[in-house]
């Protein structure tokens, strides 16, 4: 099997597991862990793409909420903006500089040249 | 603020925001696609699918650049907060535009082949080790698109409450590597492809604007120094806190507390809004309720509770006065715990 | 504390922010349109190559040869293809015509399809099955004798001949690299575009082996501007380039 086919099979498996998690979570889980979701059904359709994509995170949070979540971490916003901004800036600059270095001009200045005659 | 979830929460401002956004996207695409080969003196036009892919790709780049500017602009100048208010809709529309770009590319460059187009996308160019020119820049695009789809798919308020705002925001930090990947995707693809350098200028100016604004906001928003001891924290002279406003105090734990003055008395709640961890201390008291500057979530300053029928709660903190100074308890009380307000005038007399 | 107006989304815009927000919306609208126009007007000329649907379906007879990419030395032409020309052959989409051509190597065949032209590059996209390429009645005349033109030093770009001929516009360049590689992998003619004509030809067909229509080392160089050395052989009015892969180098 080619690497490309293997990657696609993995992606398919990921989405199928996500579909199973989505079915379970939207029918049983969501009402257990979020009172605001009880009796609200139309919005659940909007959650399906997210469930397909990040189902491991969903399972982890579902488990934590079933166990009884600690309340304090909920009010501790991440403080990594400066590091994230610096990393993003460095990557952007690297991408642009490398691109500039790789730019080529059509080699119009190189004319075809016969090196050796036929048969030699 | 939620009682029961609905698919999309709209209000008059959001309608206007979305209308302006969609109209701008429409005008961008229309203006891009109306340029004819005759306008440019070309004998033949670019293939339709490539023209469309370029239009949607350029539009997605410009939109993403705009989105990345909103956060730091609002941080540097609060007059930009209206742009932040409905940024999630902006993000969802951007993901849709980027997905359309991807579809045109996939159904053109990677279709019409015996292999499936998704498989072809992965194996057609594998020159990963042969330098920048010719590198499969599509890989950067795939990463960025997946990131945008994850962000768009988790933009409903439910996700914030379910994942908790810190985890949700952590996940949404994906936007930073995603934007860097978009710049690499464009710079190693379209920019190396074109002889004309106009689009290169657009990309450089846009990317450097994002870099400059984010670094500027990071420098201006550095945290206040934390107290060294873990005891009650000095919040200064209580009389200098204006009526209806707050002073933000940083505890030894790094947690931030918003100390509000309301009707001559002081109360302290967590600075992090229950919705998206917005900075409550930068908000104001409206109709006796602390109002978050980001999305307008409201709390009773004495209890940390949203008014009925809403159910959001934030932790509260005990306050006391000592020698004319206001002291904040280092320990948060559970969300929604009532605290006795401390009258300001006592601070002046003791 | 700032005295700026305080914005709460569901309460609507405060008076002090209305003008600025409206101005932002209008500039987004106008600025977006202007920016799109500037970007769209900056596109490079995609070249003159195209499918000649205006000629209609062409049917010709000729001798099939393999380099191993299939080519046809036309012996009996049509309205728009005169006898004596040599055509590269391709299937529909990103499919080569090698499987059909193998059985006909050196034989007289009828080829039918749509012509693609770009400068001195002529290609026929065959219709499906034997209607596109099938045996013709009669003995095959002698195919033009390949003429060795010697070893050359060249500069230009490796691409797939079908897209470059106008099946896609643009059908060359870095943004098109994956598509070009996919086309060549599927048996479409690999082509070298020279900076200047060689013996009157700018588009040279790249020679391969029966196993590999193009030497595998070349895939890393597709769509980049390269300098190289190679042997050139004339087949009819088509030049076939046998690239010495050890001499490949990137031009500045």
């Amino acid at each position: 099997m080619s690497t490309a086919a293997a990657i696609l099979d993995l992606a398919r498996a990921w989405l199928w597991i996500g579909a199973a998690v989505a079915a379970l979570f939207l029918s049983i889980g969501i009402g257990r862990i979020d009172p605001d979701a009880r009796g609200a059904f139309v919005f659940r359709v909007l959650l399906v793409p997210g469930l397909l994509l990040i189902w491991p995170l969903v399972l982890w949070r579902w488990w934590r909420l079933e166990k009884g979540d600690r309340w304090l971490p909920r009010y501790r916003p991440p403080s990594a903006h400066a590091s994230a901004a610096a990393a993003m800036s460095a990557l952007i600059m690297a991408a642009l500089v490398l691109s500039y270095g790789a730019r080529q001009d059509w080699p119009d200045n190189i004319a075809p040249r016969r090196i050796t005659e036929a048969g030699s | 603020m939620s009682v029961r979830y609905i698919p999309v929460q709209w209000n008059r401002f959001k309608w206007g925001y979305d209308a302006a956004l969609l109209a701008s996207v429409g005008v961008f695409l229309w203006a891009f696609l109306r340029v004819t080969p005759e306008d440019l003196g070309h004998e033949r036009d670019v293939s339709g699918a490539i023209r469309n892919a370029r239009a949607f790709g350029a539009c997605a780049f410009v939109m993403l650049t705009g989105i990345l500017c909103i956060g730091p602009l609002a941080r540097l100048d609060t007059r930009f907060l209206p742009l932040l208010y409905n940024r999630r809709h902006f993000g969802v529309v951007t993901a849709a535009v980027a997905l359309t770009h991807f579809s045109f590319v996939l159904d053109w460059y990677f279709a019409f082949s015996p292999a499936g187009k998704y498989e072809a996308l992965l194996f057609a160019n594998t020159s990963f080790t042969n330098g920048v020119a010719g590198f499969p820049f599509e890989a950067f695009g795939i990463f960025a698109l997946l990131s945008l789809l994850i962000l768009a798919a988790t933009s409903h308020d439910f996700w914030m409450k379910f994942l908790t705002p810190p985890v949700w925001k952590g996940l949404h930090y994906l936007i930073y590597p995603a934007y860097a990947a978009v710049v690499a995707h464009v710079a190693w693809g379209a920019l190396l492809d074109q002889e004309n350098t106009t689009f290169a200028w657009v990309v450089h100016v846009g990317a450097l604007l994002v870099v400059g604004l984010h670094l500027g906001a990071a420098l201006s928003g550095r945290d206040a120094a934390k107290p060294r001891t873990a005891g009650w924290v000095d919040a200064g002279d209580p009389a200098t806190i204006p009526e209806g406003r707050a002073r933000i105090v940083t505890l030894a734990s790094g947690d931030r507390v918003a100390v509000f003055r309301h009707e001559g008395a002081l109360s302290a709640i967590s600075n992090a809004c229950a919705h998206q961890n917005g900075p409550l201390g930068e908000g104001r008291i409206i109709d006796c309720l602390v109002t978050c500057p980001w999305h307008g979530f409201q709390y009773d300053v004495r209890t940390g509770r949203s008014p009925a029928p809403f159910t959001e709660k934030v932790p509260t903190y005990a306050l006391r006065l000592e020698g004319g100074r206001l002291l904040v308890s280092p320990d948060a009380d559970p969300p929604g715990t009532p605290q006795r307000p401390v009258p300001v005038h006592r601070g002046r007399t003791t | 504390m700032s005295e700026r107006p305080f914005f709460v989304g569901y309460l609507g815009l405060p008076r002090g922010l209305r003008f600025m927000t409206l101005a932002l919306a209008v500039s987004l609208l106008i600025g977006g349109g202007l920016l799109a126009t500037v970007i769209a007007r900056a596109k490079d000329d995609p070249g003159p190559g195209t499918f000649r649907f205006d000629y209609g379906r062409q049917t010709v007879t000729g001798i099939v040869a393999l380099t191993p990419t299939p080519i046809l030395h036309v012996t009996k032409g049509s309205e728009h293809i005169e006898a004596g020309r040599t055509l590269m052959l391709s299937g529909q989409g990103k499919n080569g015509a090698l499987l059909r051509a193998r059985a006909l190597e050196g034989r007289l065949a009828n080829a039918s399809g749509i012509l693609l032209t770009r400068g001195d590059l002529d290609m026929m996209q065959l219709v499906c099955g034997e209607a596109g390429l099938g045996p013709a009645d009669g003995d095959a005349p002698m195919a033009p004798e390949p003429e060795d033109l010697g070893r050359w030093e060249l500069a230009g770009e490796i691409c797939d001949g079908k897209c470059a001929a106008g099946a896609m516009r643009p059908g060359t360049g870095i943004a098109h690299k994956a598509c070009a590689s996919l086309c060549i992998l599927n048996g479409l003619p690999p082509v070298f575009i020279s900076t200047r004509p060689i013996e009157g030809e700018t588009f040279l067909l790249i020679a391969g082996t029966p196993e590999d229509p193009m030497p595998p080392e070349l895939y890393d160089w597709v769509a980049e501007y390269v300098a190289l050395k190679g042997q050139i052989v004339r087949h009819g009015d088509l030049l076939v380039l046998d690239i010495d892969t050890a001499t490949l180098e990137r031009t500045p």
Side-chain angles (χ1 to χ4, degrees):
Chain A
M1 186 193 287
S2 72
T3 313
I7 292 172
L8 285 180
D9 280 347
L10 272 177
R12 273 187 213 103
W14 182 278
L15 293 176
W16 275 113
I17 299 172
V21 171
L24 208 62
F25 182 72
L26 293 180
S27 57
I28 301 168
I30 194 166
R32 287 168 60 90
I33 51 91
D34 190 342
D36 291 347
R38 290 173 200 151
F41 297 100
V42 181
F43 93 101
R44 296 184 189 196
V45 180
L46 290 186
L47 308 185
V48 173
L51 285 158
L52 295 180
L53 291 171
I54 59 160
W55 56 265
L57 201 55
V58 171
L59 289 177
W60 170 69
R61 279 301 304 163
W62 186 2
W63 177 67
R64 291 292 299 261
L65 286 165
E66 290 279 358
K67 263 183 53 183
D69 209 18
R70 284 165 53 227
W71 55 266
L72 194 55
R74 187 175 275 275
Y75 301 94
R76 290 191 162 143
S79 54
H81 170 258
S83 317
M88 176 187 71
S89 304
L91 289 172
I92 286 174
M93 297 310 288
L96 292 177
V97 168
L98 286 170
S99 162
Y100 186 76
R103 197 172 164 83
Q104 285 183 292
D105 292 319
W106 180 240
D108 224 2
N109 54 329
I110 308 177
R113 187 171 69 86
R114 196 199 301 262
I115 308 169
T116 54
E117 293 297 323
S120 56
Chain B
M1 296 170 81
S2 60
V3 178
R4 182 186 285 179
Y5 293 118
I6 57 170
V8 186
Q9 283 187 330
W10 263 301
N11 56 41
R12 196 154 161 252
F13 177 78
K14 285 190 181 186
W15 280 114
Y17 191 114
D18 290 352
L21 179 65
L22 291 174
S24 299
V25 171
V27 166
F28 187 100
L29 296 172
W30 170 78
F32 196 106
L33 295 171
R34 69 187 283 274
V35 174
T36 63
E38 290 77 34
D39 294 336
L40 309 174
H42 296 170
E43 187 178 336
R44 296 189 193 281
D45 200 359
V46 168
S47 299
I50 297 177
R51 199 176 56 224
N52 292 342
R54 286 177 176 178
F56 280 87
C59 189
F61 175 80
V62 171
M63 291 175 80
L64 204 55
T65 301
I67 287 179
L68 264 291
C69 290
I70 291 175
L73 276 175
R75 171 66 33 207
L76 295 167
D77 186 336
T78 55
R79 285 176 301 173
F80 288 101
L81 277 170
L83 298 182
L84 187 82
Y85 176 67
N86 202 26
R87 187 171 52 170
R88 278 178 287 163
H89 287 201
F90 200 158
V92 171
V93 176
T94 304
V97 171
L99 190 63
T100 312
H101 163 75
F102 169 77
S103 304
F104 278 118
V105 169
L106 190 73
D107 288 333
W108 186 248
Y109 287 132
F110 300 96
F112 318 117
S113 146
K117 52 194 178 184
Y118 290 98
E119 200 173 339
L121 173 66
L122 296 176
F123 76 68
N125 179 9
T126 51
S127 298
F128 285 98
T129 54
N130 205 40
V132 172
F135 185 92
F137 64 93
E138 292 88 351
F140 293 125
I142 294 169
F143 169 76
L145 181 65
L146 277 175
S147 302
L148 291 185
L149 291 177
I150 289 174
L151 302 195
T154 56
S155 63
H156 194 277
D157 268 354
F158 161 79
W159 288 103
M160 248 172 288
K161 188 176 173 198
F162 172 61
L163 296 175
T164 73
V167 173
W168 185 86
K169 287 185 89 71
L171 180 68
H172 281 235
Y173 269 15
L174 260 180
I175 194 68
Y176 300 116
Y179 186 69
V182 165
V183 172
H185 175 68
V186 176
W188 295 20
L191 299 196
L192 291 184
D193 189 68
Q194 302 245 345
E195 277 185 38
N196 191 308
T197 54
T198 305
F199 188 48
W201 280 106
V202 172
V203 171
H204 279 74
V205 169
L208 294 178
L209 185 68
V210 168
V211 166
L213 281 172
H214 274 275
L215 294 182
L219 287 175
S220 75
R222 278 188 293 188
D223 285 349
K226 293 180 200 167
R228 294 203 182 131
T229 55
W232 286 62
V233 177
D234 184 356
D237 179 359
T240 54
I241 300 175
E243 177 64 29
R245 304 289 178 84
R247 173 175 299 155
I248 298 170
V249 180
T250 305
L251 304 178
S253 61
D255 292 341
R256 289 170 150 206
V257 179
V259 183
F260 274 93
R261 175 170 174 169
H262 175 51
E263 293 175 347
L266 299 159
S267 303
I269 59 174
S270 164
N271 189 51
C273 179
H275 172 233
Q276 213 181 103
N277 282 177
L280 289 176
E282 293 174 28
R284 297 185 188 181
I285 292 182
I286 298 174
D287 297 335
C288 299
L289 297 164
V290 170
T291 307
C292 180
W294 282 6
H295 301 92
F297 276 55
Q298 293 190 307
Y299 306 91
D300 184 325
V301 75
R302 294 161 303 184
T303 62
R305 290 170 184 265
S306 291
F310 303 110
T311 55
E312 281 77 12
K313 289 182 283 191
V314 290
T316 58
Y317 290 81
L319 293 175
R320 74 169 194 240
L321 290 168
E322 205 172 285
R325 309 290 288 181
L326 180 67
L327 300 181
V328 182
S329 164
D331 300 313
D333 287 318
T337 306
Q339 303 283 353
R340 186 185 299 276
V342 175
V344 177
H345 67 269
R346 276 175 52 199
R348 289 190 184 131
T349 54
T350 47
Chain C
M1 186 72 65
S2 156
E3 286 309 316
R4 280 179 176 156
F6 187 68
F7 169 74
V8 182
Y10 48 80
L11 298 180
L13 275 170
R15 198 173 293 278
L17 285 179
R18 280 183 200 161
F19 176 76
M20 178 174 158
T21 310
L22 194 68
L24 272 172
V26 171
S27 27
L28 194 69
L29 205 67
I30 297 172
L34 287 175
L35 190 60
T37 306
V38 167
I39 297 171
R41 291 190 68 90
K43 65 184 164 197
D44 294 336
D45 189 342
T50 188
F51 274 111
R52 299 314 303 252
F53 291 114
D54 52 329
Y55 290 173
R57 182 169 156 180
Q58 301 290 302
T59 301
V60 297
T61 304
I63 310 155
V64 174
L66 303 179
T67 69
T69 301
I71 56 176
L72 186 80
H73 298 294
V74 178
T75 55
K76 186 176 158 204
S78 66
E79 185 187 351
H80 293 284
I81 305 171
E82 67 265 30
R85 278 168 75 177
T86 305
L87 302 175
M88 299 183 202
L89 300 178
S90 87
Q92 302 278 322
K94 291 174 188 170
N95 294 285
L98 187 55
L99 286 180
R100 278 183 279 175
R102 264 197 193 125
L104 296 167
E105 186 178 8
R107 293 169 57 192
L108 201 61
N110 291 323
S112 184
I114 298 293
L115 197 62
L116 282 132
T117 58
R118 180 173 183 177
D120 51 73
L121 196 166
D122 296 321
M123 177 177 295
M124 181 179 275
Q125 174 182 276
L126 304 169
V127 299
C128 294
E130 221 167 78
L133 187 65
D137 293 333
D139 294 329
M142 285 293 288
E145 193 66 32
E147 179 194 352
D148 187 357
L149 299 182
R151 186 173 164 87
W152 289 70
E153 189 173 47
L154 313 168
E157 180 182 342
I158 300 167
C159 57
D160 79 280
K162 187 171 183 181
C163 291
M168 290 192 183
R169 280 191 306 273
T172 57
I174 286 289
H176 181 264
K177 170 166 177 150
C179 176
S181 301
L182 187 61
C183 288
I184 298 168
L185 280 166
N186 286 328
L188 288 175
V191 158
F192 184 77
I193 308 177
S194 171
T195 49
R196 316 260 174 86
I198 301 148
E199 307 273 318
E201 305 289 330
T202 307
F203 297 89
L204 288 76
L205 183 62
I206 296 171
T209 62
E211 296 76 35
D212 296 303
M214 182 175 87
E217 301 91 318
L218 294 184
Y219 284 98
D220 277 344
W221 302 88
V222 168
E224 283 188 69
Y225 299 155
V226 289
L228 54 84
K229 296 186 178 78
Q231 200 76 20
I232 298 178
V233 177
R234 183 193 291 283
H235 291 246
D237 64 354
L238 186 71
L239 299 188
V240 178
L241 169 67
D242 190 354
I243 295 175
D244 180 352
T245 54
T247 63
L248 273 160
E249 57 185 49
R250 212 170 166 268
T251 62

